[in-house]
Amino acid sequence: MSATLDRDAVPQFVLPLVVHIERDAPPARTAALEAAARAVLMFLADERSVEGEWADCVTAWTDGRIRKVVRRARGAEWRRASALDGVTLEHEGAEVRVFPPVPLDAWPKDLARLQVSGTDLDDPAAPPAPEPGLPVLWFNPELELTAGKAMAQAGHGAQLTWLRLDDEGRKRWAADGFPLAVRTAAPDAWPALTTSGLPVVRDAGFTEIAPGSCTVVGDMPELRAG
């Protein structure tokens, strides 16, 4: 994207994410957030996004506001969504599919009919501390986000971390399957994370929270080392 391009002046695209939520077997919240983040990374690394049939719409999306919207599906809805072009990632009982970017007001009908609200998920127990050396997406401890909003923010954090890496770093992460953890930062650790030089997501404020709110910090060992 040109450095002088006004992101608000170009046509706006959105990256659709759909999370599979059956009434009797919803995924855990942290698993869903981690699945969303990894699915976004898998989509970005896919050859179809880099130089294949999705490349033009990916460029159009990244030229504007890099928006992501999470919707939920179950049963036949999920099967119809799964038939559309995209990539699906399963992680610890959570299943998320990412689709090529679409114009903000021109979603495919099988995605447009899906609900945005209602993605309320919980963790049955507090997640353990991340393994040493594992990339972590740290969430702002002062914000309360719905699961759908948090999944989009996790995707943003993963994408900013991906963009900060060099080609070799991206190849290594992809070859490992994009391991990462999503956790809420300790309140006393959050200020230092946001000023550490690590990738920080600042929300545009379209939904739920105030514009400019810092939501996620992407903490990767090799970015700290650099």
Side-chain angles (χ1 to χ4, degrees), residues 9 18 22 30 38 50 55-56 65-66 73 85 91 94 106 113 121 126 148-149 156 165 176 181 187 190 198 212:
V18 174
E22 296 292 343
T30 295
R38 292 178 60 200
V50 177
D56 287 345
R65 296 284 179 179
I66 304 177
D85 275 354
H91 168 70
R113 66 179 60 170
L121 303 172
K149 177 73 171 181
H156 293 333
L165 294 170
D176 290 340
W190 180 248
L198 293 167

Side-chain angles (χ1 to χ4, degrees), residues 195-213:
T195 56
S196 63
L198 293 167
V200 180
V201 178
R202 290 180 172 83
D203 192 65
F206 294 117
T207 59
E208 294 193 28
I209 56 178
S213 298

Side-chain angles (χ1 to χ4, degrees), residues 73-128:
R74 60 175 175 262
E77 296 172 332
W78 175 254
R79 291 190 292 274
R80 284 193 295 267
S82 296
L84 302 176
D85 275 354
V87 297
T88 298
L89 185 134
E90 298 180 44
H91 168 70
E92 296 184 354
E95 196 170 14
V96 175
R97 188 165 179 82
V98 178
F99 304 86
V102 297
L104 196 59
D105 57 356
W107 285 58
K109 64 179 182 179
D110 284 331
L111 299 182
R113 66 179 60 170
L114 300 178
Q115 295 296 312
V116 178
S117 61
T119 13
D120 297 322
L121 303 172
D122 297 308
D123 282 316

Side-chain angles (χ1 to χ4, degrees), residues 8-174:
D8 293 312
V10 298
Q12 298 297 303
F13 282 67
V14 61
L15 188 75
L17 288 80
V18 174
V19 55
H20 185 191
I21 302 180
E22 296 292 343
R23 281 197 180 96
D24 58 349
R29 180 183 173 98
T30 295
L33 269 57
E34 292 173 347
R38 292 178 60 200
V40 167
L41 292 168
M42 187 167 69
F43 174 82
L44 293 172
D46 194 293
E47 284 301 315
R48 291 169 291 182
S49 297
V50 177
E51 55 186 8
E53 60 262 39
W54 300 340
D56 287 345
C57 63
V58 169
T59 298
W61 168 56
T62 55
D63 277 351
R65 296 284 179 179
I66 304 177
R67 298 181 67 170
K68 299 176 182 71
V69 172
V70 177
R71 300 191 177 208
R72 60 183 172 87
R74 60 175 175 262
E77 296 172 332
W78 175 254
R79 291 190 292 274
R80 284 193 295 267
S82 296
L84 302 176
D85 275 354
V87 297
T88 298
L89 185 134
E90 298 180 44
H91 168 70
E92 296 184 354
E95 196 170 14
V96 175
R97 188 165 179 82
V98 178
F99 304 86
V102 297
L104 196 59
D105 57 356
W107 285 58
K109 64 179 182 179
D110 284 331
L111 299 182
R113 66 179 60 170
L114 300 178
Q115 295 296 312
V116 178
S117 61
T119 13
D120 297 322
L121 303 172
D122 297 308
D123 282 316
E131 296 178 11
L134 190 68
V136 182
L137 302 176
W138 294 108
F139 267 73
N140 186 338
E142 299 177 355
L143 296 177
E144 292 187 8
L145 306 177
T146 63
K149 177 73 171 181
M151 289 172 67
Q153 297 299 304
H156 293 333
Q159 184 171 0
L160 292 185
T161 303
W162 170 259
L163 293 174
R164 186 74 67 86
L165 294 170
D166 60 22
D167 287 343
E168 287 304 312
R170 292 180 189 177
K171 288 177 182 177
R172 285 194 297 271
W173 203 11

